[in-house]
Amino acid sequence: MAAATYNPTARVTAKAHDDAPPPPTAFARKPKPGVDGLVLLTITPASAGSTSTTPSPHDSDAETTNTSLQTSPDGPHEGISPVLPPPPLILPDAVTATPTTSAMNEAIAKGPGLMRRISRGAASKLTRGRTSSNAHKNRDHSSGPAVMRRQSDSTGKLENDATALDIDSDDDIYGATTDVACVDGARDGTVSPARGAPGSIIGIGPVIPSSLQNGTYMTKVTKRRRKILKFSIDDDSAKVFWDPTKSSKHFSIDEITDIRVGPEARNYREDAGISADTESRWFTILYTRERSKGRVHKFLHLITATETIMELWVSTLEDIRRHRMAMATNLAERGERSLGTHWRKEIAKLNANLPLSEEIEHLNFERVESLCRSLHINCSTGFLKQKFDKADKNSDGYLDFTEFKDFVKHVKEREDIIQVYADVAADAEKGIDINDFLAFLRDSQGVDIETNPLRWKAIFEKLARRSKSKTPSSSPIEEESSFLDVEAFAYFLSSAKLSPALVTGSRTTALDRPINEYFISSSHNTYLLGRQVAGESSTEAYIRALQQGCRCIEVDCWDGSDGQPSVSHGHTMTSSIPFVDCIDVIGKWAFISTPYPLIISLEVHCSPPQQERMTEILKEKLGDQLILEPIMANPFCLPSPEDLKNRILIKVKASDEPDNSLNQQSLPVGRTRRAFSSPLSRPVVLDNGNISPAPLVASPTPMSPVEKNPVSQFNGRAHIHGSTAASISSATEDSDGRETSLAREPKKKRQSSIVQSLGELGVYARGTRFKYDFHTAESKRHNHIFSLAERTFAKVCNSRDLKDELERHNMRYFMRVYPSNFRVNSSNFDPLTFWRRGVQMVALNWQTYDQPMQLNNAMFAAGNDRTGYVLKPLELRRKAHSMDVFPDGDSTSTTAKEKKLVAFSIEVVSAQQLPRAKGTNQDQGIAPYIELETFCADDKAKGVASGEGGMDASARNGMFGLGSPHRRRTKIVPSNGYSPVFHDKLTVRLETKFPSLVFVRFTVRNSHDGRSYADRNGALATFTAKLSSLQEGYRHLPLLDNNGEKFMFSTLFCKIKKEEIGPVSRESNAAAKVNSLKQVGRSMFQRTLSTERKATPDE
């Protein structure tokens, strides 16, 4: 078998043979004596205890999702044993378990929570081996995922923007009408019928080989043991099982985020101590699980008996995953192909045990309701029964396929879009003609159709083609005309490609300004999957950040016990990972989402010998991508992102710079244990259970010079003092390590501990210690960078002179700001606080999807912003050309910025298929309402923001600015989470110095009683956008869950109108004062309108 060339953008699904398959012996390894057809790992004395029945850390509660997938009629593939026999001398767990082990012993050994552990352990012992009678009842018969998870098999290219509208066929608009049997990309006719009878079901989905359904034996690898288990795929539920008697021993294929093989999985194999000869048979499955405290990231490491079995598993899982995602996507858009497929699967289940002559081709209401649940149509039973009776033309209580299509059409009818359609069409009976369509794009949607009119005309013709086929013409003139019917118009409005919510950037726009003139998407403690005190370090965290477009990542380097540098959050309980593994992963995934430069921020706490080793690793693993010398002759400015495409920059202190961090002699050596690159010791839980409705966490109050025991606030509740904080935080403050007062000068100049070879790598990002002085020689070097903790930044901004100098500095040079190490829960600060001062690298904890992180994602979400680089507003960057030389006494203006008036309106028309609150069943309805928040980068002030429509839920004192958004709410729609209609127009006017830093956040909330605005379970979904990124007109806004992943079926339908930004007039000032007085009156008398106290009844 030829070795496949490594490529992180391509999944390894290569066939084991080209034309004729070689004999099975070409793939099989020689079995050990006494083992028939199964390769066993050698059991050493150290691993002799691996037969323990302790549950794997990867095991968790059942998640339910399913689909029906086509089974292979051909039996086992050649050279593959469908079910390998159990090897001799391998006894069941119950036999090999240590007799003295008991629930009491386990509880005592595991420490706290004694009674809880006794109860849990006893229950597991008593129920072991039982088959749950409810196993099948608990399965969720969904047709595919409801959340679009971030996949790791990206093509390495940015998502298509405007050019995605250049469609070449009708399939691009409506989806192929022919069902695809996903077998080597072939279409119908290539798969034998599952029942073997002519005319039976074909093209239902990927073929699942019978060998994988019956099960194959594989070695499951964890940190402490190696265990041979039988793994199988259940075609009905689309799940992988390895112990059918235990509901926790499985996962849904929809939960898979990636499958790693070959070099991609090498880090896991080496961390587990497995020999290299198993690499061709090793694969790692990454998947997620939802928990009450957040999402759990899990890793399943497997070794197969042969390479063929490994390739069969990988290719089958990938095919099933793609098929289910495609089916769900088709359902979310038009759904014709999916409807036919799901109908045939339901009919096949119904006829499974019937003779061919008695097969039926219709469904009763109970079957139709069950099928609707699998299609993610979560309506009340009464609503579905009403639509069922309407579609039942014969009134016989059954629907055939034609009637079923009518039924789904009635269920998905959009009265809100029908109303828009009637307003757009000059003649609603005929439909929307080309003139109506272009006028709608120009006047309502704000589209510049003149730049490419042919493209829009082509889209119209392809949308209208099916409308024409459905409506027979009565005259030759009408035959030559094209019209859009309601269905085609609804598809256009709901399509994320044809009518996107966010602006799409032009590919011709070059990022040709100096790199310091851009905001850069930046991460802090990138290596962590969880909290910074006791979280897990993993190379997966780097992959996730790079996939999301992060352009500045952090690597904390410490001495490793084996002479090799490691990465960890020092002085904490976090695990460590080898530095070489991190750099290897970074080099492979650096440009997976954007070709623009990546900055690696090194925090070095290593000894000189291991620093030398770091230098060797960086040069070896990054190769030609690494910048080793200047690429420009001009010594007074930095190159542009365009100049640095596909290059990696190192941010590191210079070897001759004074070091402000803690004395290296007093620092303990880095962690001595080598942890798995993936968190195998225990699942990693991201604490994102609910999207917090609270305002942004403000930066901690700066310390005064006389304070001896600094106090920092975090999360608004707890305080940590002096020595306690030092014991749990990492010495990562490379520019201001110890908090010092503005007046205090360092007692003596200390030389940097960075060796010369490593310091020389900081070509364009030379770390320089900040001395509260912007006039030093070091602060005038074009390639220096100040890295400040948020507390130090706050102290600088408290001084008017220093604040002005800081803003002038950031017009020319780099600055990075990162969260305080007192944020032990890995919370984030408000990035607007730093963007408004021109800070390029505002580093956040990406593992925490809180409100600040949502703002950060919105900053880099649209058009060219997706490159990870956003050009700063003109007032925050120097106005001169980049070739100009700035003398030391330059007085770049930082005069008071003029306020601008920003006004916009958002009519929340309706919502579609909203997600349910956690813990609610399908019979429980929700009473949704929408909350609109507006954020800006200005200081808090009274009367600078006002609004109309809905309910005003802003601060009672009328304050608006950083940490105090303007907030308005729609009415509550009781008992309708499927298609609630609001028709609430919310208007907002605000004064700001930074119009380009205005953000809006949509939050879907649930009224627990259908009347009050109390939200007990937290937000159901959110969407945050930069106001300048939102497109005007009627738009379907995507909704995200509490981990930042998009719901496939849930959207908000809004009409957006933005007024031109202009100067603040006297009239607007007067209106603001009136609004301020109203707010004060409400605060004093606590009076609200009746419409604000109670929900408006559903119309």
Side-chain angles (χ1 to χ4, degrees), residues 740-757:
T740 58
S741 69
L742 296 180
R744 186 185 309 166
E745 293 294 335
K747 293 182 179 180
K748 65 177 182 178
K749 183 177 180 180
R750 291 177 295 161
Q751 294 298 319
S752 171
S753 62
I754 305 298
V755 299
Q756 183 176 356
S757 60

Side-chain angles (χ1 to χ4, degrees), residues 440-447 492-493 499-503 903-906 1027-1037 1054-1060:
F440 171 73
L441 293 177
R442 180 184 61 250
D443 301 334
S444 179
Q445 302 296 91
V447 176
F492 171 78
L493 288 180
S499 187
L502 300 179
V503 297
F904 62 94
S905 65
I906 297 178
L1027 181 61
S1028 60
S1029 297
L1030 279 177
Q1031 298 225 63
E1032 291 191 273
Y1034 291 96
R1035 305 287 173 175
H1036 282 85
L1037 308 181
C1054 300
K1055 183 180 182 181
I1056 302 168
K1057 178 66 175 177
K1058 296 185 290 185
E1059 297 182 12
E1060 186 175 352

Side-chain angles (χ1 to χ4, degrees), residues 125-140:
K125 296 291 184 182
L126 292 173
T127 57
R128 180 173 290 126
R130 295 182 184 176
T131 302
S132 173
S133 60
N134 296 324
H136 292 280
K137 294 181 181 179
N138 292 332
R139 291 174 181 172
D140 174 12

Side-chain angles (χ1 to χ4, degrees), residues 864-882:
N864 286 334
D865 298 349
R866 291 177 296 171
T867 61
Y869 287 84
V870 174
L871 188 64
K872 295 195 291 185
L874 185 61
E875 58 269 19
L876 295 180
R877 52 193 172 93
R878 64 187 186 189
K879 301 176 179 60
H881 192 269
S882 59

Side-chain angles (χ1 to χ4, degrees), residues 676-784:
F676 262 151
S677 296
S678 62
L680 293 182
S681 58
R682 60 180 180 273
V684 177
V685 180
L686 298 186
D687 189 16
N688 299 327
N690 287 323
I691 302 174
S692 172
L696 293 169
V697 179
S699 299
T701 304
M703 297 179 298
S704 65
V706 297
E707 288 179 319
K708 295 182 179 179
N709 294 320
V711 177
S712 176
Q713 299 177 354
F714 60 96
N715 204 26
R717 287 191 283 268
H719 297 73
I720 295 181
H721 297 268
S723 59
T724 304
S727 66
I728 63 173
S729 62
S730 173
T732 60
E733 303 190 4
D734 62 339
S735 290
D736 54 281
R738 290 177 176 173
E739 297 292 347
T740 58
S741 69
L742 296 180
R744 186 185 309 166
E745 293 294 335
K747 293 182 179 180
K748 65 177 182 178
K749 183 177 180 180
R750 291 177 295 161
Q751 294 298 319
S752 171
S753 62
I754 305 298
V755 299
Q756 183 176 356
S757 60
L758 182 60
E760 289 176 349
L761 298 182
V763 178
Y764 287 122
R766 179 176 177 169
T768 302
R769 182 171 181 249
F770 180 59
K771 302 175 181 178
Y772 296 95
D773 186 355
F774 293 98
H775 298 285
T776 62
E778 294 87 351
S779 65
K780 299 301 179 182
R781 291 175 179 164
H782 74 287
N783 62 343
H784 84 275

Side-chain angles (χ1 to χ4, degrees), residues 74 106 179 312 343 481 599 638 642 732 778 800 889 893 1010:
D74 302 326
E106 291 178 2
D179 292 318
L312 185 64
W343 171 269
S481 303
I599 301 172
L638 296 173
E642 208 71 39
T732 60
E778 294 87 351
R800 180 58 184 269
S893 174

